[in-house]
Amino acid sequence: MKKFFIVGGAGYIGSHVVKLIGEQIKDAEILVFDNLSNGHKDAVLYGNIIQGDVRNYEELYKAIKKFKPDIVLDFASLIIVPESVEKPLEYYEVNTMGVLNLLKAMRDAGIYKLIFSSTAAVYGNPKKVPIPEDAPLKPINPYGKSKLMAEELIKDASVAYSIQYGILRYFNVAGASPDLKIGDKHNTTSHLIPIVLQTALGIRPKMQIYGTDYPTHDGTAIRDYIHVMDLADIHLKLIDYLFESGKSDIFNCGYGRGFSVKEVINAAKKVVGKDFKVENANRRAGDPPILVADSSKLQKTLNWKPKYNNIETIIEHAYKFMLKNF
Ligand code: UDP
């Protein structure tokens, strides 16, 4: 039996990982620690939940010390790039200080395995695309910087206190659980696929394309969109890898194939079967032109094979979840 302490497990990605652990790992014991600022209690389909905040060391320490997990997974983050430009200190407080508190609590409670959610934003404007894990780390916005600092804290703590880690650098996560039990429930969003779908459903009168002068084939920014269920599956593979190999490592999480903003909009028009109003607008602060993962290390080392590697499937699952919930 394994005990999982899942920080931010009531949020979008965390709740999908909780679901998969609950379904696939026999006798797993799950405790979710979440402040419910963006998470939802009813998205936690397995285990128990305790309300607490990563900015509070005492709360973390008490919960970890009492539960004595075999491994900690950390999903608690602020994740909106433009918001991080406006509120950098809040981002460092949650994304960086939160990890400092978590590492201290783990060290003090004697827990030595951690899976951490990082981001492609640590690469900034990459010179080489697809981006390998050993590419230069030069984030161009406070969100990416807050996550890179957290990665550095984890690496140093690993050396000093023997904390074994798996760092996952997520590219653009989208979609919902195919059974539609859980999905992205952010009420206010800045992310492309939910905005496109809200526009298609008439929840928004129109949407904007942020930047049509990027150095890409159609002038709009390119991202590597990964289905949330494929991403959750990576966590399950990584859990096995950490327990079996005893090693620490870093992996990019994407498919290695990018889509432009215009391509995503066109795919959504096809999936939904409706046209909707799209305007061209200026570039958004902090947005790099192209982020596409080199995911060969992930596929090889963790023997991971994607199941939902199709932009229309990703959009379709997100759309059906939205229809069901709004
Ligand atoms: N984007 C856009 N219009 C929107 C929301 C996003 O053109 O209403 C663009 C955004 O500028 C970026 C891409 O879509 O180039 C993906 O943005 P998102 O916020 O989904 O993820 P990010 O890559 O910023 O984490």
Side-chain angles (χ1 to χ4, degrees):
M1 186 194 65
K2 284 197 185 84
K3 293 170 83 171
F4 299 87
F5 187 79
I6 307 190
V7 184
Y12 172 44
I13 299 170
S15 63
H16 286 79
V17 175
V18 168
K19 182 173 189 282
L20 218 54
I21 291 175
E23 285 170 358
Q24 296 190 3
I25 302 184
K26 258 197 172 168
D27 300 328
E29 209 180 308
I30 295 169
L31 179 62
V32 166
F33 180 96
D34 200 302
N35 71 355
L36 300 177
S37 63
N38 286 313
H40 298 263
K41 261 188 185 161
D42 59 5
V44 179
L45 301 181
Y46 294 88
N48 295 312
I49 173 159
I50 171 171
Q51 200 166 342
D53 199 298
V54 291
R55 288 167 293 193
N56 186 324
Y57 163 81
E58 285 298 327
E59 284 179 7
L60 268 172
Y61 173 70
K62 272 189 206 144
I64 293 180
K65 179 85 183 161
K66 188 157 175 242
F67 186 61
K68 294 193 185 64
D70 297 292
I71 184 164
V72 173
L73 289 87
D74 180 22
F75 299 94
S77 310
L78 299 177
I79 57 160
I80 300 172
V81 170
E83 186 183 60
S84 80
V85 178
E86 279 156 29
K87 299 180 182 171
L89 302 185
E90 278 82 349
Y91 272 67
Y92 292 117
E93 211 168 9
V94 175
N95 295 358
T96 314
M97 297 283 289
V99 171
L100 181 77
N101 284 334
L102 183 61
L103 290 165
K104 264 165 65 185
M106 288 175 65
R107 176 198 64 188
D108 297 348
I111 307 301
Y112 299 109
K113 279 189 175 47
L114 173 67
I115 290 181
F116 177 66
S117 307
S118 188
T119 169
V122 297
Y123 297 115
N125 278 324
K127 287 223 167 65
K128 193 173 141 196
V129 182
I131 312 166
E133 285 85 355
D134 59 3
L137 302 172
K138 291 186 175 160
I140 57 166
N141 52 55
Y143 169 60
K145 290 181 200 168
S146 71
K147 285 286 189 178
L148 179 56
M149 288 182 202
E151 285 193 10
E152 296 299 330
L153 292 178
I154 292 168
K155 288 183 203 162
D156 289 344
S158 167
V159 173
Y161 315 121
S162 306
I163 290 177
Q164 187 198 354
Y165 65 82
I167 291 174
L168 296 175
R169 293 186 181 140
Y170 303 163
F171 283 63
N172 288 61
V173 188
S177 164
D179 63 12
L180 307 181
K181 283 190 182 155
I182 50 173
D184 188 357
K185 275 197 163 177
H186 285 100
N187 297 328
T188 52
T189 183
S190 66
H191 288 131
L192 179 64
I193 290 179
I195 286 177
V196 169
L197 292 173
Q198 286 172 357
T199 316
L201 284 172
I203 298 167
R204 291 171 188 259
K206 61 181 181 188
M207 63 160 294
Q208 295 185 317
I209 298 179
Y210 299 138
T212 49
D213 59 348
Y214 281 110
T216 60
H217 64 279
D218 64 12
T220 67
I222 291 178
R223 296 288 182 274
D224 186 339
Y225 295 90
I226 178 170
H227 194 292
V228 66
M229 229 47 223
D230 274 336
L231 183 68
D233 184 45
I234 293 169
H235 292 75
L236 279 264
K237 298 269 188 309
L238 181 59
I239 290 165
D240 283 345
Y241 176 79
L242 292 183
F243 280 98
E244 281 161 20
S245 73
K247 289 183 193 163
S248 292
D249 217 334
I250 300 182
F251 300 97
N252 282 338
C253 299
Y255 293 135
R257 157 108 162 83
F259 291 90
S260 72
V261 174
K262 279 187 180 164
E263 285 167 343
V264 169
I265 292 170
N266 288 334
K269 285 183 178 171
K270 207 168 143 198
V271 169
V272 177
K274 267 191 218 156
D275 205 358
F276 45 85
K277 196 168 172 199
V278 179
E279 280 176 355
N280 292 341
N282 289 334
R283 292 183 182 195
R284 195 171 66 174
D287 274 352
I290 306 177
L291 290 173
V292 175
D294 177 341
S295 60
S296 51
K297 180 177 171 191
L298 172 78
Q299 309 217 15
K300 213 169 118 205
T301 313
L302 299 187
N303 196 22
W304 171 72
K305 290 182 188 64
K307 278 198 201 126
Y308 304 103
N309 184 357
N310 181 304
I311 192 70
E312 287 177 17
T313 306
I314 295 172
I315 294 172
E316 188 194 326
H317 290 160
Y319 178 57
K320 286 186 173 158
F321 182 78
M322 204 179 260
L323 275 180
K324 199 179 149 201
N325 288 281
F326 288 89

Coordinates of all heavy atoms in Angstrom, one line a residue, residues 233-268:
D233 N -1.6 10.3 -16.6 CA -0.9 9.0 -16.7 C 0.6 9.1 -16.6 O 1.3 8.2 -16.1 CB -1.3 8.5 -18.1 CG -0.7 7.1 -18.4 OD1 -0.9 6.2 -17.5 OD2 -0.2 6.8 -19.5
I234 N 1.2 10.2 -17.0 CA 2.6 10.4 -16.8 C 3.0 10.4 -15.4 O 4.0 9.8 -15.0 CB 3.1 11.8 -17.5 CG1 2.9 11.7 -19.0 CG2 4.5 12.1 -17.1 CD1 3.1 13.1 -19.7
H235 N 2.1 11.0 -14.5 CA 2.4 11.0 -13.1 C 2.4 9.5 -12.5 O 3.2 9.2 -11.7 CB 1.3 11.8 -12.3 CG 1.4 13.3 -12.6 ND1 1.0 13.8 -13.8 CD2 2.0 14.3 -11.9 CE1 1.3 15.1 -13.8 NE2 1.8 15.4 -12.6
L236 N 1.5 8.7 -13.0 CA 1.5 7.3 -12.6 C 2.8 6.6 -13.0 O 3.4 5.8 -12.2 CB 0.3 6.6 -13.1 CG -1.1 6.7 -12.5 CD1 -1.4 5.6 -11.5 CD2 -1.3 8.1 -11.9
K237 N 3.2 6.8 -14.2 CA 4.5 6.2 -14.6 C 5.6 6.7 -13.8 O 6.6 6.0 -13.5 CB 4.7 6.6 -16.1 CG 3.6 6.1 -17.1 CD 4.0 4.7 -17.6 CE 3.1 4.2 -18.7 NZ 1.7 4.2 -18.4
L238 N 5.6 8.0 -13.5 CA 6.7 8.6 -12.7 C 6.7 8.1 -11.3 O 7.8 7.9 -10.7 CB 6.6 10.2 -12.7 CG 7.7 10.9 -12.0 CD1 9.1 10.7 -12.6 CD2 7.4 12.4 -12.1
I239 N 5.6 7.8 -10.7 CA 5.5 7.3 -9.4 C 6.3 5.9 -9.4 O 7.2 5.7 -8.5 CB 4.1 7.1 -8.9 CG1 3.4 8.4 -8.6 CG2 4.0 6.2 -7.7 CD1 1.9 8.4 -8.5
D240 N 5.9 5.1 -10.3 CA 6.6 3.8 -10.4 C 8.1 3.9 -10.6 O 8.9 3.3 -10.0 CB 6.1 3.0 -11.6 CG 4.7 2.4 -11.4 OD1 4.4 2.3 -10.2 OD2 4.1 2.0 -12.3
Y241 N 8.5 4.9 -11.5 CA 9.9 5.1 -11.8 C 10.7 5.5 -10.5 O 11.8 5.0 -10.3 CB 10.0 6.2 -12.9 CG 11.4 6.6 -13.2 CD1 12.2 5.8 -14.1 CD2 11.9 7.8 -12.7 CE1 13.5 6.2 -14.4 CE2 13.2 8.2 -13.1 CZ 14.0 7.4 -13.9 OH 15.3 7.8 -14.2
L242 N 10.1 6.4 -9.8 CA 10.8 6.9 -8.6 C 11.0 5.8 -7.6 O 12.1 5.6 -7.0 CB 10.0 8.1 -7.9 CG 9.9 9.4 -8.7 CD1 9.2 10.5 -7.9 CD2 11.3 9.9 -9.1
F243 N 9.9 5.0 -7.4 CA 10.0 3.9 -6.4 C 11.0 2.8 -6.9 O 11.7 2.2 -6.1 CB 8.7 3.3 -6.0 CG 7.9 4.1 -5.0 CD1 6.9 5.0 -5.5 CD2 8.2 4.1 -3.7 CE1 6.3 5.8 -4.5 CE2 7.5 4.8 -2.8 CZ 6.5 5.7 -3.2
E244 N 11.0 2.5 -8.2 CA 11.8 1.4 -8.7 C 13.3 1.8 -8.9 O 14.2 1.1 -8.6 CB 11.2 0.9 -10.0 CG 10.0 0.0 -9.8 CD 9.2 -0.2 -11.0 OE1 9.7 0.1 -12.1 OE2 8.0 -0.6 -10.9
S245 N 13.5 3.0 -9.4 CA 14.9 3.4 -9.8 C 15.6 4.1 -8.7 O 16.9 4.0 -8.7 CB 14.8 4.4 -11.0 OG 14.4 5.6 -10.6
G246 N 14.9 4.7 -7.8 CA 15.6 5.5 -6.7 C 16.3 6.8 -7.3 O 17.0 7.5 -6.5
K247 N 16.0 7.1 -8.6 CA 16.7 8.2 -9.2 C 15.8 9.5 -9.1 O 14.6 9.4 -8.9 CB 16.9 8.0 -10.6 CG 18.0 7.0 -10.9 CD 18.2 6.8 -12.4 CE 19.0 5.6 -12.8 NZ 18.9 5.3 -14.2
S248 N 16.4 10.6 -9.3 CA 15.6 11.9 -9.5 C 15.8 12.3 -10.9 O 16.8 12.1 -11.6 CB 16.2 13.0 -8.6 OG 16.0 12.7 -7.2
D249 N 14.8 12.9 -11.5 CA 14.9 13.3 -12.9 C 13.8 14.4 -13.3 O 12.9 14.7 -12.5 CB 14.7 12.1 -13.8 CG 15.6 12.2 -15.0 OD1 16.0 13.3 -15.4 OD2 16.0 11.1 -15.6
I250 N 14.0 15.0 -14.5 CA 13.2 16.0 -15.0 C 12.6 15.6 -16.4 O 13.4 15.2 -17.2 CB 14.0 17.4 -15.1 CG1 14.5 17.8 -13.7 CG2 13.1 18.5 -15.7 CD1 15.3 19.1 -13.7
F251 N 11.4 15.8 -16.6 CA 10.8 15.4 -17.9 C 9.9 16.5 -18.4 O 9.0 17.1 -17.7 CB 9.9 14.2 -17.8 CG 10.7 13.0 -17.3 CD1 10.7 12.6 -15.9 CD2 11.5 12.2 -18.1 CE1 11.4 11.5 -15.5 CE2 12.2 11.1 -17.7 CZ 12.2 10.8 -16.4
N252 N 10.0 16.8 -19.7 CA 9.0 17.6 -20.4 C 7.7 16.8 -20.6 O 7.8 15.6 -21.0 CB 9.5 18.0 -21.8 CG 10.5 19.1 -21.8 OD1 10.6 19.8 -20.9 ND2 11.3 19.1 -22.9
C253 N 6.6 17.5 -20.5 CA 5.3 16.8 -20.7 C 4.5 17.5 -21.9 O 3.9 18.5 -21.7 CB 4.5 16.8 -19.5 SG 5.2 15.9 -18.1
G254 N 4.7 16.9 -23.1 CA 3.9 17.4 -24.2 C 4.0 16.3 -25.3 O 4.6 15.3 -25.0
Y255 N 3.4 16.6 -26.4 CA 3.4 15.6 -27.5 C 4.5 15.8 -28.5 O 4.7 14.9 -29.3 CB 2.0 15.6 -28.2 CG 0.8 15.2 -27.4 CD1 -0.3 15.9 -27.5 CD2 0.9 14.0 -26.6 CE1 -1.5 15.5 -26.7 CE2 -0.2 13.6 -25.9 CZ -1.4 14.4 -25.9 OH -2.5 14.0 -25.2
G256 N 5.1 16.9 -28.5 CA 6.2 17.2 -29.5 C 5.6 17.8 -30.8 O 6.2 17.8 -31.8
R257 N 4.3 18.2 -30.7 CA 3.6 18.7 -31.9 C 2.9 20.0 -31.5 O 2.1 20.0 -30.5 CB 2.7 17.7 -32.4 CG 1.5 18.2 -33.3 CD 1.8 17.8 -34.7 NE 0.6 17.8 -35.6 CZ 0.1 18.9 -36.1 NH1 0.7 20.1 -35.9 NH2 -0.9 18.8 -36.9
G258 N 3.1 21.1 -32.2 CA 2.5 22.4 -31.8 C 1.3 22.7 -32.7 O 1.2 22.3 -33.9
F259 N 0.4 23.5 -32.1 CA -0.7 24.1 -32.9 C -0.7 25.6 -32.7 O -0.5 26.1 -31.5 CB -2.0 23.5 -32.5 CG -2.2 22.1 -32.9 CD1 -1.8 21.1 -32.0 CD2 -2.7 21.7 -34.1 CE1 -1.9 19.7 -32.4 CE2 -2.8 20.4 -34.5 CZ -2.4 19.4 -33.7
S260 N -1.0 26.4 -33.8 CA -1.1 27.8 -33.6 C -2.5 28.2 -33.0 O -3.4 27.4 -33.0 CB -0.9 28.5 -35.0 OG -2.1 28.3 -35.8
V261 N -2.6 29.4 -32.5 CA -3.8 29.9 -32.0 C -4.9 29.8 -33.1 O -6.0 29.3 -32.8 CB -3.7 31.4 -31.5 CG1 -5.1 31.9 -31.1 CG2 -2.7 31.5 -30.4
K262 N -4.6 30.1 -34.3 CA -5.6 30.0 -35.4 C -6.0 28.6 -35.6 O -7.2 28.3 -35.9 CB -5.0 30.7 -36.7 CG -5.2 32.2 -36.7 CD -4.8 32.7 -38.1 CE -4.9 34.2 -38.1 NZ -4.2 34.9 -39.2
E263 N -5.0 27.7 -35.6 CA -5.4 26.3 -35.8 C -6.3 25.7 -34.7 O -7.2 24.9 -34.9 CB -4.1 25.4 -35.9 CG -3.3 25.6 -37.2 CD -1.9 25.1 -37.2 OE1 -1.4 24.8 -36.1 OE2 -1.4 24.9 -38.3
V264 N -6.0 26.2 -33.5 CA -6.9 25.7 -32.3 C -8.3 26.3 -32.6 O -9.3 25.5 -32.4 CB -6.3 26.2 -31.0 CG1 -7.3 26.0 -29.9 CG2 -5.0 25.5 -30.7
I265 N -8.4 27.5 -33.0 CA -9.8 28.1 -33.2 C -10.5 27.3 -34.3 O -11.7 27.0 -34.2 CB -9.6 29.6 -33.6 CG1 -9.1 30.4 -32.3 CG2 -10.9 30.2 -34.1 CD1 -8.7 31.8 -32.6
N266 N -9.8 27.0 -35.4 CA -10.4 26.3 -36.5 C -10.8 24.9 -36.1 O -11.9 24.4 -36.4 CB -9.5 26.2 -37.7 CG -9.4 27.6 -38.4 OD1 -10.3 28.4 -38.3 ND2 -8.3 27.9 -39.1
A267 N -10.0 24.2 -35.3 CA -10.3 22.9 -34.8 C -11.6 23.0 -33.9 O -12.5 22.1 -34.0 CB -9.2 22.3 -34.0
A268 N -11.7 24.0 -33.1 CA -12.9 24.2 -32.2 C -14.1 24.4 -33.0 O -15.2 23.9 -32.7 CB -12.6 25.3 -31.2

